[in-house]
Amino acid sequence: MDNRTLPYLLLLPATLFLCVFFLYPFALVAWQAFTNEAGFTLEHFRTMADHWKFPIAFWNTMLLALAVVPVQVVLSITMAMMVTRMQRGRDIMLYIWTIPLGISDLAAGIIWLAIFEQTGFLNSMLYGLGVIEQPTNFLSYQNTWVIFIAIALAEIWRATAIMLVILVAGLGLIPKEYDEAAEVFGASRWQRLWKVTLPLLRPSLQTALILRVILAFEVFAVVAALGGTSLPVLMGETYNYQFELQDGHVAAALALVILAISIAFTLFFLRVLRVPKGAQI
Amino acid sequence: MAEIQIRNVAKTFGTYQALHSIDLTIADQEFMVLLGASGCGKTTLLRIIAGLETPSVGEVWIGGRRVDHLPPRERGIAMVFQNYAVFPHLTVFENVAFGLRMAKLDDRLVRERVERTAGLMHIEALLQRYSGQLSGGQRQRVAVARALAMEPDVILMDEPLSNLDALLRLEMRAELKGVLEASNTTTIYVTHDQVEAMSLADRISVMHQGRIVQAAEPVEVYRNPAAHFVGSFIGNPPMNFITARNQGDGKWQVAGQQFTGPSVASETLEFAIRPEDLSLAETGLQANVRVVEPLGAHILVTCDVEGSLFRAVIDSNSRVKAGDVLHIAPEPDRIRWFDPETTLAVA
Amino acid sequence: MSVAESPKLPGSPRRAGNILFGATALLLCAWVLVPIYLLIVNTLSSPEAVTAFPKSFVPGWDFANLEFFAGFAGILKALKNSVLVAGVTMLLAILIGAPAGYALSRFDFPGKSAFRILILMTRAFPLPLLALPLAVMFIRTGLDDTILGLAIVHTTLALPFSVLITFSLFSGIPIELEEAAWTLGCTREQAFRKVVLPLILPGIAASAVFAFVISWNEVFAASVLTIENRTLTAFLLQSLDVSPMHLKFAGGFVLVVPALIFIFAVRKYLFAMWGIANR
């Protein structure tokens, strides 16, 4: 086999696959969102935006991301730093902390349902402590803010692990000498974190944030399990249009909205956390 | 019989020219060392001979057969890699047997050959181990045994000793020399270590910026460098150079002294002398001593001769200290001359 | 630094720091484990205990829940579908992804960075949304509501990971090993089979497991694309409103258990895989 054609041959299946099942379908979505029988139209976007639930779903999705991601950043950095400092029990600790990595959003939603439902563990505990007289229905539509908190907790619980793994892997790539050099030059632990470790960790932080924020905009099954229809989010509305309302065009328009914010945030993180050429490890 | 001929071989990577039309013939059973600093193209040349790179132009002939378009396995070569490349998932025995099994030798013959080469490299006791259980030196032995077991016409070695510590390197160097001399193969050996090159080679090819600057016997390379680069690269400390002005009639003036040199027309030449060919004298080049470093058997004196840096290796009984002004005299028949334009030696 | 000189003194700041450190670590473990424990309690209690109040915090060791789950119409089929879809996804992701990973790690060629951008692009796209256009496309090609159709969507999810992970695995094997095999008489294909493959196999298995888990856990596309042949996640999602609590918990439990085992199986590779998948 010729060395010049071999790599292309090896890449061919993956490229074809992604073209047919990734690029082409996304073109189809755009096509569907912008056309009707008559041709080009913005009608589907209008339908989407005029629906009373759209702004609610939009802001719910954004607020959820805003509530969840910063907590996850702090939590995952803390955990990653703890892991690197740990002498004993590092492996078991890492395994436990990464368990949620394998748990689907649906399962996570169900797990937190067990805690928040009317006869759930939170009610039982509060009752046992004498805080409440009888179980309250936390997840009713009257308490959307409790639903919001429950979803946020479930998301933080489930999806911090992916950031942790990326950050631990990233920390592993940073030679210890930098930290030691900073220590020799008199930097405190806190200063070393801010001035040495975190800046060197930027590429990993970038990957983790992009991945995590996009997943946050896709939040769906956790919401379905915990909130039902009381707390609309973009992905759930997309599902509704496709399934309940059988309107593929508006579903496509919603998909484009999710896509647009995802890309906007990706570009934002690429820009903000970029590492200048030559400054990489 | 495996004479190797490299004819007009050049190699470019993108816009970078790694090798400029190399011509080299290596005789059957010769031990040829490719010597040069990193990035000089020596490894690229070796890999072209091995078939791990294809030349951009030119031909490679091994044993009268043109091989530059053949894959490595059809060239009758064996290779020892810098990082040994001992297969981690196979035992030492299976590593040494690997090539023999690929050649479909029958089991009894494989066992015989493996045991014989293992004996030669003193690794009989390690045959059932895995590479993870071996030290660097042992891995090195396995890598050499694996190549020798093939009984190849040509053995190619890419800096095989560079990852060993100094003492082990010395030991392995002597052992390699013995084993390879006994094996009747043609050897091409890449290194950046001039001492290694001197001690092993029948001939050394000194490479610089993608060209072979000089290919000659070790003593010749040392005594009669073909170019400024060779003199400055080989020898530790390297040759001293200073500008000489033409006085006519083969007379040259260097730092106020007159020397007899080549009768050429050019206005200046480079006067070159090895540090050990300088000695203290009543008259000679006037030198301001900068640093004095006792080396045990000798003293290394670094001094300034009319603005040029000079090093002299002198007898350890001499009393010299920094700040002294000395006269150093070059051994007349050890003086070499280089053209400052072409940097080549002038006779 | 001066603190370190008196480690024996009780109450020294360093000791207090260590205790705080250990406590935080344990607290974070509890944060991860307790919710899972509570799910297990719910799963292993009788249906009556699940809806009783106040609830017991220890399991009743009653398997009625799981039996009810197993007997629930359509569940076993959904379970089978989940396994099949995840299995096909795993095979596709590796068979398509590993050659690409190998090419990226071993060759320099024009167009390499374009391919990398294509792979990285998939990161910026909410991939489950692919289910929408593909639903239409699949109806035309007869792939709608089939195992293969859904597996294809899940493969687009898993493929970028399998490419990047196998790329990092292949890069971890020195090319010298392959070159040594070539000089010892191997063709490129033989060298791959005899040297690279044995070394890479555990890593490939780990990334296959990873692809399996991605598919096993996926909800949105599975719900959009399947009607008759629902996977477990799709089944559970669509019966969230109607199914009794104890069925949901049993379902959640069945979803979680294989994931736990898989993550345990690949834990060694998790970080190595992400080390380069990073860039």
Side-chain angles (χ1 to χ4, degrees):
Chain A
M1 181 70 54
D2 186 353
N3 275 359
R4 266 188 289 275
T5 53
L6 185 59
Y8 295 106
L9 221 60
L10 292 171
L11 285 186
L12 192 65
T15 313
L16 274 182
F17 190 93
L18 287 177
C19 285
V20 176
F21 297 112
F22 169 63
L23 294 180
Y24 174 63
F26 267 109
L28 273 185
V29 175
W31 176 256
Q32 236 184 342
F34 284 110
T35 55
N36 58 11
E37 299 78 30
F40 178 82
T41 175
L42 289 174
E43 158 199 343
H44 310 305
F45 284 92
R46 232 169 283 130
T47 315
M48 171 193 84
D50 286 347
H51 196 283
W52 63 273
K53 264 184 168 179
F54 174 74
I56 305 177
F58 181 82
W59 287 114
N60 279 340
T61 308
M62 289 309 231
L63 285 175
L64 261 177
L66 193 69
V68 168
V69 176
V71 177
Q72 291 186 315
V73 171
V74 175
L75 203 57
S76 58
I77 290 177
T78 310
M79 287 163 118
M81 297 302 293
M82 285 178 78
V83 167
T84 54
R85 272 190 62 198
M86 228 170 260
Q87 279 121 31
R88 281 171 300 129
R90 185 175 186 269
D91 290 347
I92 179 82
M93 206 58 81
L94 263 182
Y95 169 60
I96 290 174
W97 287 355
T98 50
I99 281 176
L101 196 61
I103 293 177
S104 76
D105 42 355
L106 181 61
I110 292 173
I111 286 172
W112 285 81
L113 184 65
I115 296 170
F116 277 96
E117 51 131 346
Q118 194 159 8
T119 62
F121 292 100
L122 183 62
N123 265 320
S124 299
M125 197 177 76
L126 292 176
Y127 179 82
L129 293 172
V131 181
I132 51 169
E133 299 284 311
Q134 55 182 27
T136 46
N137 186 2
F138 289 120
L139 300 175
S140 86
Y141 64 93
Q142 286 132 326
N143 292 332
T144 44
W145 62 275
V146 184
I147 298 180
F148 185 89
I149 291 174
I151 293 170
L153 281 174
E155 278 289 281
I156 293 170
W157 178 80
R158 176 182 73 89
T160 305
I162 186 76
M163 299 183 81
L164 173 67
V165 169
I166 296 174
L167 293 185
V168 169
L171 279 176
L173 296 176
I174 303 176
K176 251 211 184 94
E177 284 82 1
Y178 296 126
D179 193 59
E180 289 169 351
E183 190 175 1
V184 170
F185 285 115
S188 70
R189 194 185 288 284
W190 189 247
Q191 286 170 320
R192 263 144 52 208
L193 176 68
W194 280 101
K195 304 251 180 224
V196 180
T197 309
L198 288 183
L200 288 174
L201 201 56
R202 232 164 6 181
S204 306
L205 271 173
Q206 193 183 57
T207 311
L209 271 170
I210 290 174
L211 215 63
R212 186 48 216 134
V213 166
I214 288 169
L215 287 175
F217 294 141
E218 288 171 31
V219 65
F220 169 63
V222 173
V223 179
L226 284 169
T229 50
S230 319
L231 195 100
V233 289
L234 287 178
M235 203 72 171
E237 290 311 295
T238 312
Y239 180 77
N240 278 342
Y241 271 107
Q242 179 80 10
F243 247 74
E244 316 288 328
L245 307 172
Q246 299 281 334
D247 190 338
H249 289 292
V250 181
L254 266 166
L256 281 192
V257 170
I258 300 174
L259 181 61
I261 18 183
S262 297
I263 292 175
F265 273 83
T266 303
L267 293 176
F268 173 74
F269 285 124
L270 283 177
R271 179 103 194 102
V272 170
L273 290 173
R274 77 184 184 289
V275 184
K277 254 201 157 60
Q280 283 124 346
I281 301 174
Chain B
M1 289 298 285
E3 183 190 72
I4 300 170
Q5 285 184 8
I6 294 148
R7 298 182 187 167
N8 190 32
V9 163
K11 176 76 181 175
T12 45
F13 295 104
T15 56
Y16 175 67
Q17 181 122 29
L19 290 176
H20 300 265
S21 74
I22 301 279
D23 279 292
L24 186 66
T25 302
I26 299 150
D28 182 38
Q29 302 191 20
E30 188 175 23
F31 197 125
M32 170 64 88
V33 171
L34 303 181
L35 175 66
S38 65
C40 71
K42 57 190 191 298
T43 295
T44 306
L45 183 55
L46 188 80
R47 290 170 60 84
I48 285 173
I49 298 168
L52 299 172
E53 289 307 340
T54 39
S56 304
V57 291
E59 300 173 4
V60 178
W61 294 68
I62 296 178
R65 208 159 53 106
R66 186 172 169 186
V67 297
D68 46 88
H69 290 292
L70 296 179
R73 65 176 187 282
E74 289 167 28
R75 296 190 177 199
I77 53 137
M79 186 158 169
V80 178
F81 290 81
Q82 184 170 12
N83 297 307
Y84 319 137
V86 173
F87 303 128
H89 60 300
L90 300 177
T91 59
V92 169
F93 184 96
E94 284 305 324
N95 261 284
V96 179
F98 191 91
L100 306 174
R101 294 213 193 280
M102 291 312 301
K104 302 217 160 37
L105 262 59
D106 79 77
D107 260 5
R108 198 180 43 81
L109 206 57
V110 168
R111 181 161 299 280
E112 255 176 45
R113 279 239 216 140
V114 170
E115 275 163 7
R116 195 169 68 232
T117 31
L120 218 55
M121 293 309 297
H122 308 292
I123 51 170
E124 304 99 318
L126 307 175
L127 285 175
Q128 294 317 313
R129 298 222 197 146
Y130 288 92
S131 109
Q133 302 162 296
L134 303 179
S135 69
Q138 289 169 332
R139 265 177 237 174
Q140 170 66 66
R141 286 167 186 279
V142 175
V144 175
R146 187 173 62 184
L148 286 174
M150 299 291 287
E151 297 182 359
D153 300 328
V154 178
I155 288 194
L156 307 173
M157 299 197 166
D158 185 10
E159 308 240 8
L161 302 182
S162 66
N163 285 347
L164 301 179
D165 63 58
L167 214 61
L168 208 53
R169 202 179 315 166
L170 214 63
E171 185 189 317
M172 274 306 290
R173 196 171 78 197
E175 219 175 304
L176 267 186
K177 186 165 189 173
V179 168
L180 288 171
E181 262 168 16
S183 72
N184 298 332
T185 57
T186 311
T187 306
I188 304 181
Y189 186 108
V190 163
T191 183
H192 64 268
D193 181 336
Q194 47 171 303
V195 182
E196 221 168 275
M198 290 282 170
S199 75
L200 290 172
D202 293 328
R203 266 197 310 154
I204 298 178
S205 292
V206 182
M207 295 187 64
H208 183 50
Q209 293 178 344
R211 296 173 211 274
I212 293 178
V213 188
Q214 184 173 17
E217 284 167 23
V219 179
E220 178 72 8
V221 168
Y222 188 81
R223 279 287 161 235
N224 299 312
H228 177 110
F229 172 78
V230 180
S232 65
F233 183 73
I234 293 189
N236 184 21
M239 252 178 168
N240 299 305
F241 298 91
I242 192 167
T243 305
R245 307 207 162 273
N246 200 344
Q247 308 284 89
D249 293 335
K251 299 290 179 207
W252 296 84
Q253 181 166 333
V254 177
Q257 298 279 313
Q258 213 173 52
F259 294 92
T260 308
S263 312
V264 290
S266 58
E267 211 160 286
T268 60
L269 279 182
E270 271 192 308
F271 168 100
I273 186 79
R274 292 218 170 263
E276 67 271 25
D277 297 330
L278 289 166
S279 53
L280 297 183
E282 294 299 311
T283 60
L285 302 167
Q286 185 180 316
N288 301 318
V289 178
R290 298 266 180 253
V291 184
V292 177
E293 300 165 80
L295 301 175
H298 304 282
I299 301 178
L300 175 60
V301 182
T302 305
C303 44
D304 178 328
V305 176
E306 219 177 46
S308 295
L309 186 76
F310 254 60
R311 293 191 190 83
V313 173
I314 59 171
D315 190 83
S316 61
N317 291 325
S318 323
R319 297 247 165 261
V320 182
K321 58 182 191 305
D324 287 356
V325 179
L326 304 175
H327 289 279
I328 46 180
E331 195 82 28
D333 59 342
R334 290 285 163 79
I335 298 169
R336 298 292 175 266
W337 304 88
F338 296 96
D339 185 323
E341 299 290 317
T342 63
T343 80
L344 297 180
V346 181
Chain C
M1 270 175 271
S2 60
V3 184
E5 284 151 23
S6 53
K8 286 274 158 64
L9 260 178
S12 76
R14 189 187 176 86
R15 194 187 173 95
N18 278 343
I19 290 171
L20 186 69
F21 184 85
T24 315
L26 286 181
L27 194 71
L28 286 169
C29 284
W31 157 251
V32 170
L33 290 178
V34 168
I36 296 176
Y37 169 76
L38 295 178
L39 177 72
I40 294 171
V41 170
N42 263 348
T43 310
L44 298 180
S45 302
S46 62
E48 297 73 37
V50 169
T51 45
F53 189 85
K55 195 178 278 186
S56 160
F57 278 78
V58 288
W61 301 112
D62 183 306
F63 294 95
N65 260 339
L66 285 172
E67 279 164 29
F68 179 80
F69 174 82
F72 198 81
I75 281 277
L76 287 182
K77 190 179 168 213
L79 196 60
K80 191 189 91 188
N81 285 336
S82 266
V83 172
L84 283 177
V85 171
V88 175
T89 303
M90 179 171 98
L91 284 179
L92 282 176
I94 291 304
L95 290 180
I96 299 175
Y102 183 78
L104 287 182
S105 85
R106 286 295 190 254
F107 298 97
D108 267 315
F109 50 92
K112 185 173 176 172
S113 51
F115 183 80
R116 286 192 70 127
I117 288 170
L118 180 63
I119 292 289
L120 292 178
M121 246 168 73
T122 59
R123 287 245 188 100
F125 283 64
L127 290 173
L129 290 174
L130 283 173
L132 303 177
L134 287 176
V136 184
M137 198 169 132
F138 283 176
I139 289 171
R140 270 188 263 138
T141 50
L143 277 173
D144 59 309
D145 201 14
T146 60
I147 303 289
L148 181 64
L150 183 55
I152 283 175
V153 179
H154 285 175
T155 304
T156 53
L157 278 169
L159 188 62
F161 288 94
S162 83
V163 170
L164 291 173
I165 291 169
T166 51
F167 163 68
S168 95
L169 290 169
F170 283 124
S171 301
I173 295 185
I175 187 140
E176 270 198 352
L177 290 181
E178 270 181 272
E179 291 176 344
W182 301 341
T183 62
L184 290 167
C186 286
T187 61
R188 195 174 252 284
E189 186 269 328
Q190 283 172 318
F192 183 83
R193 210 155 29 80
K194 286 183 177 290
V195 175
V196 179
L197 209 53
L199 292 169
I200 208 92
L201 222 45
I204 294 274
S207 53
V209 165
F210 204 69
F212 188 97
V213 172
I214 288 177
S215 165
W216 174 264
N217 282 340
E218 204 282 328
V219 186
F220 186 88
S223 308
V224 170
L225 285 175
T226 57
I227 300 155
E228 290 295 311
N229 287 311
R230 284 180 191 163
T231 65
L232 189 56
T233 51
F235 188 94
L236 285 172
L237 182 86
Q238 272 151 1
S239 54
L240 271 178
D241 308 334
V242 292
S243 60
M245 276 294 175
H246 56 93
L247 181 74
K248 293 185 195 173
F249 295 136
F253 178 76
V254 173
L255 269 181
V256 166
V257 169
L260 287 190
I261 297 169
F262 288 152
I263 291 293
F264 186 74
V266 301
R267 69 191 183 289
K268 232 178 69 191
Y269 288 91
L270 227 42
F271 299 95
M273 289 189 321
W274 280 96
I276 290 190
N278 239 321
R279 308 265 133 154

